[in-house]
Amino acid sequence: MKPSLRPTLLASLRRLAALALGLAALCTSAAAAPEKVLRVAFRTAETSFDPSQINDLYSRTVTPHIFEALYEYDPLAKPARIVPLTATALPEHSGDWRVWTLQVRPGIFFADDPAFGGKPRELVAQDYVYAISRTADPRLKSPQWSYVESFGFVGLAEARQRAIAGKQPFDYDAPIEGLRALGRTTLQITLREPRPRFIEFLAASDLFGGFAREVAEYYGASVGEHPVGTGPFKLQSWKRASKIVLVRNPQYRERLYDGEPAAGDAEGQALLARFKGRRLPMVDKVEVAVIEQAQPRWLAFLNGELDVLEWVPPEFINLAAPGGKLAPFLAKRGVTLSRGPRADVYTTFFNMDDPLVGGYTPDKVALRRAIGLALDVEREIRLVHRGQARLAHATVAPGTRAHDPAFRSAMGEYNPNRARALLDLYGYQDVDGDGWRERPDGSPLVLPWSIADDQRDRQIAEQVQRDMQTLGLKVQFKVGKWPELLRAARAGQFSVWHVGLQSASPDSIGQFQRFDSTQIGGQNMARFKRPEFDALYQQISRLPDGAERDALFLQANRIAAVWMPYKPRFSTIITDLMQPHVKGYRRHEFWQEWWHRVDVETTP
């Protein structure tokens, strides 16, 4: 008698049914977890995503989400605290703060890219050697070079000079004494002078994250369009000055949300309790729209097209947050608010090489001081920035070590009568009776003043026009896109411009880079050059924190006030708005990377 096939058939059907149910459940689960997209906006266009080529805030907001430095700032710690990111531990350093040794954590991989030939590419110590060395390559003309050079990596400037003198490509294979990979994971850096706060340099993911040489060689001149790092996101698409899209990096290691908020930090403690142990990034995609005009940016948030509105436009601040508190109509929608001071200083600065406003003779100093004294900054704060700023008396950002709220100088004074007296005293007279002053030699005096082609700068230009007119100084505005103006300023092709200087670390030395002559063409946009200041800058850089260093910071402020290459105007107060489905947002004073640390709740 043949055995029946019925039980076997029934069993197979049951297995198929179970498999079908499982697939259906999987599909249902996938459908119940839609893609999490974070939508934000820049108010000014980016320039590049090659860290060696950037020096603007907006590009530097994208790059730390793609590249990773050895260290980062604890997202919840106040005051700021640096912790390992791709390093295994905090660095070891010699007693004189010159030799720094650290270990790169193994098992961290770059995002997949054709440059790697289809093979996984592990992060190694040499990738940090290469990232820093690229700034020294004369062919790249990196705006970061003067900043890197100021740290005195032994042998790096010499390697650059050999390439320049020999008119040869920079030799990335030649060993550099002060920048060495000792095996796959050990990095050792040797500096010419003590640098007690060098770890802050090592925490700049936006500029000095691990960079694979294969990527630079594969993409060549277009590498800025193809950033490849070990960070939580990778670039999916980019339409210049319009839209940037980042997506989750599938190769990103298992990294969990953590931090150490202070015991009395209720907000930080609540964030830690809610997110501790969550895998990063918490969103799948970030869409960045470049919306330069204030009204469209504001309306985009109101219409739900943006999830976070960083820096509410001043034109709408009284509508969004009257008296510094969230407006009731926004509160009813579940919108939340974050408000606080920013570690920045906005300045008007002068090209010290310019034949009209530059120079160190008494008449040129008098002209700069008169212009500074005539700028009614408090009126600008009230009318243009709608009170979202505080008057600055020095180029030192609030929240940094050398900031002294009690410091006062002529740099922060408004006194048009004194300004007119200065101009009279040094020969800036209206010789021909047309109502405008001429130069001391009788030749025409027209101030070329650069402004960006946007609504805020047009409002600032109106204030400048009014203030200079009270002195009898004629102004001619040079209008351009912000990235173009930045390039011109780096090249010294301007007379007067204004820009914000944001601190990237708790140390105030960053603000005084603006006066260091070795950083002309980079951080020193005013092209200021005084040997006494250069010597002081080096001394401040070498000293550990303490009373002696603080006294030198005060001396540096006084030198800045004497020569007046920069006119400090104000430090900003930032108000950010978040839609109700955004959770975990917390603005940090010194770093820009936060997109991977927030969650966007979705409705299935």
Side-chain angles (χ1 to χ4, degrees), residues 225-477:
E225 302 168 18
H226 302 276
V228 181
T230 62
F233 296 104
K234 57 188 296 186
L235 181 67
Q236 182 184 68
S237 62
W238 177 24
K239 185 177 180 182
R240 287 182 180 271
S242 177
K243 190 171 184 179
I244 305 159
V245 179
L246 304 184
V247 293
R248 180 191 297 271
N249 174 8
Q251 281 70 49
Y252 198 54
R253 63 194 178 278
E254 183 180 60
R255 185 170 166 222
L256 307 180
Y257 188 103
D258 204 356
E260 293 188 18
D265 180 1
E267 180 190 51
Q269 291 290 345
L271 288 171
L272 182 63
R274 177 166 188 162
F275 294 110
K276 184 177 175 62
R278 288 278 298 275
R279 187 163 184 171
L280 303 178
M282 292 191 279
V283 297
D284 303 299
K285 180 185 288 188
V286 181
E287 295 179 350
V288 184
V290 179
I291 309 176
E292 295 183 345
Q293 300 302 319
Q295 186 179 42
R297 200 162 62 251
W298 167 248
L299 292 176
F301 181 80
L302 291 185
N303 294 336
E305 298 164 11
L306 295 177
D307 298 307
V308 178
L309 179 61
E310 288 190 277
W311 204 335
V312 174
E315 298 90 327
F316 301 100
I317 193 67
N318 291 328
L319 182 61
K325 296 182 179 180
L326 186 66
F329 83 98
L330 292 175
K332 288 179 181 178
R333 293 172 53 172
V335 171
T336 54
L337 174 147
S338 173
R339 186 173 187 270
R342 191 182 190 214
D344 66 9
V345 180
Y346 274 73
T347 70
T348 294
F349 60 99
F350 306 90
N351 181 355
M352 298 296 283
D353 292 337
D354 184 77
L356 175 59
V357 299
Y360 302 88
T361 56
D363 59 316
K364 299 302 179 66
V365 176
L367 177 60
R368 293 193 298 271
R369 285 187 180 176
I371 292 171
L373 287 166
L375 290 174
D376 190 347
V377 178
E378 290 189 329
R379 187 174 190 271
E380 178 190 340
I381 290 173
R382 186 172 66 255
L383 297 182
V384 178
H385 310 291
R386 304 300 197 274
Q388 301 303 292
R390 295 172 180 168
L391 186 68
H393 286 268
T395 60
V396 182
T400 63
R401 182 174 181 90
H403 180 256
D404 180 2
F407 179 81
R408 294 291 181 270
S409 76
M411 291 192 296
E413 184 181 351
Y414 171 61
N415 192 332
N417 289 332
R418 184 180 172 194
R420 283 188 287 268
L422 268 175
L423 294 175
D424 291 341
L425 180 63
Y426 285 92
Y428 294 93
Q429 304 281 349
D430 177 12
V431 177
D432 57 12
D434 65 353
W436 301 107
R437 294 178 187 265
E438 278 75 43
R439 302 188 196 193
D441 63 3
S443 60
L445 194 168
V446 179
L447 287 171
W449 203 296
S450 301
I451 64 164
D453 185 19
D454 60 40
Q455 182 177 353
R456 185 188 63 163
D457 265 27
R458 285 192 291 271
Q459 292 175 331
I460 292 173
E462 291 176 5
Q463 303 299 311
V464 169
Q465 183 79 54
R466 171 187 174 275
D467 292 339
M468 294 302 101
Q469 191 168 353
T470 64
L471 296 186
L473 295 179
K474 185 180 291 187
V475 180
Q476 183 179 60
F477 292 107

Side-chain angles (χ1 to χ4, degrees), residues 449-564:
W449 203 296
S450 301
I451 64 164
D453 185 19
D454 60 40
Q455 182 177 353
R456 185 188 63 163
D457 265 27
R458 285 192 291 271
Q459 292 175 331
I460 292 173
E462 291 176 5
Q463 303 299 311
V464 169
Q465 183 79 54
R466 171 187 174 275
D467 292 339
M468 294 302 101
Q469 191 168 353
T470 64
L471 296 186
L473 295 179
K474 185 180 291 187
V475 180
Q476 183 179 60
F477 292 107
K478 298 173 63 176
V479 182
K481 294 292 184 182
W482 195 88
E484 297 168 358
L485 296 176
L486 178 62
R487 285 192 293 270
R490 297 289 178 209
Q493 298 169 352
F494 77 104
S495 294
V496 188
W497 193 31
H498 54 259
V499 74
L501 311 173
Q502 182 175 359
S503 179
S505 75
D507 188 34
S508 298
I509 195 68
Q511 280 80 67
F512 292 103
Q513 293 167 10
R514 320 295 176 182
F515 300 87
D516 176 21
S517 70
T518 68
Q519 302 194 52
I520 290 174
Q523 303 299 316
N524 184 352
M525 287 194 287
R527 310 180 81 80
F528 178 73
K529 187 174 184 179
R530 295 296 304 179
E532 67 272 22
F533 194 97
D534 290 348
L536 188 62
Y537 178 84
Q538 289 300 319
Q539 192 176 357
I540 291 172
S541 299
R542 289 192 297 265
L543 285 172
D545 293 337
E548 182 182 1
R549 190 168 187 256
D550 291 343
L552 294 182
F553 272 131
L554 180 60
Q555 188 177 340
N557 270 331
R558 289 171 175 162
I559 293 176
V562 166
W563 297 109
M564 196 78 168

Side-chain angles (χ1 to χ4, degrees), residues 72 92 141 176 196 272 274 349 390 448 459 492 565 567 598:
E72 66 169 350
E92 298 177 357
K141 298 179 181 178
I176 296 172
L272 182 63
R274 177 166 188 162
F349 60 99
R390 295 172 180 168
Q459 292 175 331
K567 156 69 177 180
V598 298

